[in-house]
Amino acid sequence: MERIELDEAKLQGQAEIWRYLYSFTDFIALTSAVQLRIADIIHSNGGAATLSQIASCISDGHTSTDITALARIMRLLVRRKIFTIHPPSDGGDPLYNLTHSSRWLLHDSEQTLAPLVLMENHPWQMAPWHYVSQCVKEGGTAFKKAHGCEIWDLASRDPDFNKLFNDGVACTSKFITSAILSGYKQGFNSIGLLVDVGGGTGGLISEIVKVYPHIKGVNFDLPHVVSTAPAYNGVSHIGGDMFHAIPNTDAIIIKWVLHNWNDEECIKILRNCKKAIPRENGKVIIVEIILKEDGSGVFDDIGFLMDLVMFAHNSGKERTEAEWKKILEGGGFSHYKIINIPALVSIIEAYPDA
């Protein structure tokens, strides 16, 4: 009996390795669905479409869609519960339907992850993964080993990559912003001037100002980033470098920025934040993942995947509360509180030491 259990465990272990070995195919199938706009096709067809209907919409009129290849991709995505398939009541061809997952792949939705899927699958983003083990042996940044420069340098000189990166980041900003506004309702009431450090093209600060019109908003990022930012009512765009100085303000919000940098760099940014806000009633609103090593929440596992993304793409990392406490103290913010919001990230409200 013990021998049978050992054999079953060994087979299960083998199956697990097979699964991890080819788990990249899940991502490729998902990316294909986004590139082919399959979710959009089903959505525009009233929420259900046959394989032939999907294929005809994919065809651009110059080529014929390989419906067999499409069927194979859809078969895997149905198994992964990205789409569902049901026989129609009239006995015709099976119908594919959207799920809660595939609705996040709609290109024109306010809540979409499609641009992030396209960004992460781009060869520029995939290449660094082949250097991860080399970084373990030698140190350094995988992205730089792959491309000869840091990710920010490539974005500053390559407009196509800059747009790809900004679009990927901006799509997450929309629904995380919604979570911030719903979970941090009282936090903005006493703020007159708010600077969004590393605010990208200004999506977050524009939404905050829209809900709290008494706030004067400043979107602060690198010059090549703010140069592509649209105009928003109540928001000024300022180009600069957070490692040198941050505009003086009542409060700072810094969303998904510190995880891009190592501890020493984060401390330098936080010290500049401290210089920019008043000692009394000033605060920094940090929006980041907080790793929970034994966490079983809906997003807790994603944090550890994101940590390796940081490892591959820059010198940053995701952090536990103890790790956040260390850099906050180093930056001059010994006092803080954590506010949970309905998102992958949490809010750390930090107050400057006297």
Side-chain angles (χ1 to χ4, degrees), residues 267 270-271 322-336 353:
I267 288 170
L270 287 169
R271 285 176 179 168
E323 290 171 318
W324 279 115
K325 186 174 186 291
K326 178 182 176 183
I327 66 167
L328 285 167
E329 289 175 346
F333 294 87
S334 298
H335 305 288
Y336 68 91
D353 299 337

Side-chain angles (χ1 to χ4, degrees), residues 17-319:
I17 298 302
W18 279 110
R19 190 173 295 112
Y20 290 128
L21 176 62
Y22 290 112
S23 62
F24 71 91
T25 58
D26 290 340
F27 182 39
I28 299 304
L30 187 74
T31 304
S32 297
V34 173
Q35 292 169 330
L36 297 169
R37 304 181 78 96
I38 293 172
D40 299 271
I41 291 168
I42 295 172
H43 180 68
S44 63
N45 204 58
T50 66
L51 199 64
S52 296
Q53 288 171 329
I54 296 170
S56 66
C57 291
I58 290 172
S59 176
D60 58 8
H62 301 289
T63 59
S64 57
T65 302
D66 187 336
I67 198 164
T68 302
L70 177 62
R72 293 165 71 181
I73 291 170
M74 292 301 289
R75 180 170 59 185
L76 177 62
L77 292 175
V78 166
R79 187 168 178 85
R80 294 294 181 262
K81 297 180 172 59
I82 303 299
F83 300 102
T84 58
I85 185 169
H86 301 287
S89 56
D90 60 5
D93 292 335
L95 291 166
Y96 291 91
N97 304 93
L98 299 177
T99 64
H100 288 300
S101 297
S102 49
R103 290 186 183 280
W104 285 94
L105 305 180
L106 294 168
H107 283 76
D108 298 325
S109 172
E110 278 295 306
Q111 297 190 332
T112 179
L113 283 166
L116 188 63
V117 172
L118 297 176
M119 181 190 84
E120 292 293 1
N121 185 259
H122 194 281
W124 287 326
Q125 296 287 70
M126 294 296 287
W129 291 104
H130 295 284
Y131 294 85
V132 166
S133 58
Q134 188 177 336
C135 287
V136 172
K137 291 180 179 179
E138 305 171 356
T141 306
F143 194 95
K144 188 172 184 179
K145 289 183 184 295
H147 299 296
C149 65
E150 300 290 355
I151 191 169
W152 320 114
D153 297 327
L154 181 59
S156 68
R157 66 176 188 240
D158 190 309
D160 291 335
F161 182 72
N162 188 43
K163 184 178 187 310
L164 183 79
F165 185 85
N166 286 340
D167 288 349
V169 172
C171 82
T172 65
S173 182
K174 290 180 181 178
F175 55 85
I176 290 178
T177 295
S178 178
I180 292 169
L181 291 171
S182 67
Y184 190 63
K185 290 181 179 177
Q186 305 304 316
F188 298 110
N189 286 340
S190 60
I191 299 172
L193 177 61
L194 179 65
V195 172
D196 185 355
V197 173
T201 53
L204 172 61
I205 193 70
S206 68
E207 290 300 316
I208 292 172
V209 170
K210 193 182 297 181
V211 176
Y212 298 90
H214 70 275
I215 293 177
K216 181 181 178 182
V218 173
N219 179 49
F220 180 72
D221 212 314
L222 293 168
H224 75 269
V225 176
V226 298
S227 68
T228 64
Y232 298 106
N233 290 331
V235 176
S236 302
H237 297 292
I238 297 179
D241 188 339
M242 63 187 172
F243 287 104
H244 293 156
I246 292 167
N248 290 335
T249 181
D250 297 334
I252 286 168
I253 187 164
I254 182 165
K255 177 181 71 66
W256 252 354
V257 171
L258 297 177
H259 75 159
N260 291 309
W261 306 98
N262 64 35
D263 289 359
E264 292 75 19
E265 291 162 330
C266 284
I267 288 170
K268 189 171 184 179
I269 295 167
L270 287 169
R271 285 176 179 168
N272 285 339
C273 288
K274 185 180 177 184
K275 291 176 186 176
I277 60 175
R279 295 295 174 92
E280 290 186 14
N281 301 320
K283 63 182 176 181
V284 175
I285 305 159
I286 300 167
V287 184
E288 291 279 1
I289 290 171
I290 300 176
L291 292 179
K292 301 178 181 68
E293 294 186 354
D294 298 319
S296 57
V298 64
F299 290 117
D300 284 338
D301 195 54
I302 311 302
F304 295 94
L305 303 179
M306 289 291 293
D307 184 47
L308 286 190
V309 172
M310 295 299 102
F311 180 72
H313 289 167
N314 49 50
S315 60
K317 62 180 181 179
E318 305 299 345
R319 295 174 170 90

